[in-house]
Amino acid sequence: MASLKDVARLANVSLMTVSRAINSPELLKPDTLKQVQLAINALNYVPDFSARKIRGKSSKVSTVGVLALDTATTPFSVEIILSIEQTARQYGWNSFVVNITSKEDNDRAVRQLLSQRPDGIIFTTMGLREVTIPEALHQSPLVLANCVDKNKLFPAYIPDDFNGQYRAVERLIEKGYRKPLCLYIPYETLAGKIRREAVETAWGNANLPHEDLMQYHLELGDEHYIDIISLIDSHFQNNKPDFDVIICGNDRVAFLAYQILLSRGLHIPNDIAILGYDNMIGVGHLFYPPLSTVVLPHYQLGQQAALHIIEGRQQQDIQYVACDLLERSSF
C-alpha cells in the first residue's frame, strides 16, 4: 500500500505539501495541488484519517454513520444507502453503515456505531415506519430517513405518500376510469393508511361515489401476497371483471395482478388498467406492458438526510419528499 512518502516522492514535493493537499487544499497553488492529486491517483493512495484521530491530530474529514434497519439488506430501499454514501463523498465526508438485523440487535448496533465517533448519524428503515430511537443516540446529531420517531423528537425525511397517491388517482380519473379495485398494503403500515386516505380524498374531490371504490388491505406478512389471486378472482362474474383498473399497494401486488389478468386472456390496459407504487429498481420497465407506478424517492431521502447532517440544518420536524407518477403503458 502506498505511503505519504511515496506520494511526496512521485509528486516531487515535501511531505508537508502532500499533507496540505489532503487536509487544506485551499492553501496550495492550483498547479501544486494538481501535481499532488495526480500522484495520489496514480498510486491509489488512501489517507489514514482514523489514525490521525487516534493521535489527536486535526483532520477536516467528517464522518456520517448510518444505522440501517433492513435498508441495506433488501433490494427495495438500498438506494437510500447508496445516496448517503455518494452525497457524503461529494462533500468530502466519509460514511459507514451498521446494519440492525433484529430488535434484539439494537444495542450491539448502537455500540458499534458510536465506537466509530461519527460526526452525525442517520437512522434508516426499509419501508416507512415508526421507530423508537435508543436513548444512547439522543445526544448525537441525528436525522431519520424513511421513518419517523414515535416521540417526535428528531427530524425526519419521509416520502410524500399522500400527494403521490392522490395525483396518480387524479390521473386515472382524468383518463376515465370509474371502477377501481384497490389492493392496498396492510392497514397496520403507515403507508397503507396514508395511501388509502389519498385515494378516497381524490375520489371524493372528483364528486365520485365512495361506494364505487372496492377496497382491500393485505394482511401483514409476505405470505399473504398470494391472497391477491382469490381477491381478484372474486371480482369476476361469468369471466367478466366488475372493475376497470387495479390500484396496487406496491409493484409486487401489480406483478401478481398482471399474471392473473393475462392468464384470463385480458389485455393491459385496453381491458384493465394497472397502477403500481414504489417503482422497484430495475423491474417496472420489464413488465409487459411497462408498469405505470408512483416512484418512492429513496435516493432523495438518503440525499436529504445526508445534507441535513453535512449542512447542519436546524429544522426538527418532518420533511416530505415528493413521490412522482411515472406514467408508462399500463393505463
Side-chain angles (χ1 to χ4, degrees):
M1 184 179 293
S3 67
L4 200 71
K5 289 182 179 179
D6 295 327
V7 175
R9 188 179 302 113
L10 182 60
N12 196 27
V13 297
S14 68
L15 288 172
M16 181 61 72
T17 299
V18 176
S19 179
R20 284 177 178 165
I22 294 169
N23 297 309
S24 304
E26 70 279 1
L27 299 179
L28 295 182
K29 294 179 180 179
D31 289 345
T32 304
L33 178 60
K34 182 178 180 180
Q35 190 174 335
V36 175
Q37 288 173 335
L38 287 173
I40 288 173
N41 292 336
L43 295 170
N44 291 318
Y45 173 67
V46 180
D48 189 357
F49 294 116
S50 62
R52 294 179 186 198
K53 284 188 175 183
I54 292 171
R55 292 194 297 267
K57 295 185 178 180
S58 63
S59 171
K60 290 191 175 182
V61 175
S62 300
T63 301
V64 58
V66 183
L67 269 178
L69 179 56
D70 298 331
T71 319
T73 55
T74 57
F76 310 117
S77 54
V78 71
E79 269 198 316
I80 296 177
I81 304 298
L82 175 64
S83 66
I84 292 171
E85 178 185 356
Q86 291 182 340
T87 304
R89 189 188 313 145
Q90 179 185 353
Y91 284 83
W93 282 50
N94 290 330
S95 63
F96 66 92
V97 178
V98 177
N99 287 304
I100 303 174
T101 57
S102 66
K103 289 182 179 179
E104 295 73 24
D105 193 42
N106 265 2
D107 290 343
R108 187 277 313 166
V110 170
R111 287 195 303 271
Q112 181 180 343
L113 180 133
L114 291 177
S115 71
Q116 302 298 315
R117 302 296 190 269
D119 298 284
I121 298 169
I122 301 174
F123 193 107
T124 77
T125 61
M126 188 284 291
L128 179 63
R129 67 186 79 176
E130 281 190 335
V131 295
T132 300
I133 301 300
E135 189 72 29
L137 299 179
H138 282 211
Q139 302 307 313
S140 302
L142 176 68
V143 62
L144 281 55
N146 208 33
C147 54
V148 294
D149 169 37
K150 287 182 178 179
N151 298 313
K152 307 296 187 292
L153 297 176
F154 302 99
Y157 292 84
I158 66 173
D160 188 359
D161 274 309
F162 183 90
N163 283 307
Q165 186 76 81
Y166 185 98
R167 285 190 293 268
V169 174
E170 269 193 326
R171 180 65 175 143
L172 289 176
I173 294 170
E174 177 185 319
K175 297 192 77 168
Y177 296 102
R178 293 295 184 270
K179 296 186 289 183
L181 176 60
C182 306
L183 305 178
Y184 304 119
I185 57 178
Y187 187 77
E188 294 85 350
T189 64
L190 288 180
K193 297 187 190 76
I194 293 170
R195 294 176 193 173
R196 177 171 182 152
E197 181 185 354
V199 171
E200 292 176 345
T201 303
W203 200 254
N205 287 347
N207 296 315
L208 296 171
H210 186 276
E211 56 269 22
D212 286 352
L213 290 171
M214 296 169 277
Q215 303 186 92
Y216 302 89
H217 285 274
L218 295 182
E219 295 185 41
L220 280 172
D222 285 352
E223 68 275 12
H224 290 292
Y225 274 91
I226 202 69
D227 298 343
I228 292 164
I229 297 174
S230 59
L231 272 174
I232 293 178
D233 283 342
S234 71
H235 283 271
F236 278 84
Q237 299 294 331
N238 298 320
N239 206 36
K240 292 185 178 180
D242 62 3
F243 53 91
D244 59 6
V245 60
I246 302 179
I247 297 175
C248 301
N250 59 31
D251 291 352
R252 286 182 284 172
V253 174
F255 177 75
L256 278 166
Y258 263 64
Q259 294 182 77
I260 296 164
L261 297 181
L262 294 174
S263 71
R264 286 178 169 269
L266 295 171
H267 184 276
I268 301 167
N270 291 352
D271 297 318
I272 302 292
I274 295 184
L275 169 66
Y277 207 109
D278 286 359
N279 191 35
M280 286 172 57
I281 298 173
V283 174
H285 66 286
L286 297 178
F287 283 73
Y288 184 75
L291 176 65
S292 296
T293 188
V294 180
V295 180
L296 275 180
H298 285 141
Y299 193 93
Q300 291 79 6
L301 292 174
Q303 180 185 59
Q304 291 304 312
L307 290 174
H308 187 100
I309 296 294
I310 294 167
E311 296 175 351
R313 296 177 182 176
Q314 296 303 306
Q315 71 261 23
Q316 293 296 305
D317 56 354
I318 295 174
Q319 301 291 311
Y320 294 91
V321 180
C323 300
D324 296 324
L325 172 62
L326 178 57
E327 195 167 341
R328 294 191 178 108
S329 307
S330 63
F331 70 71

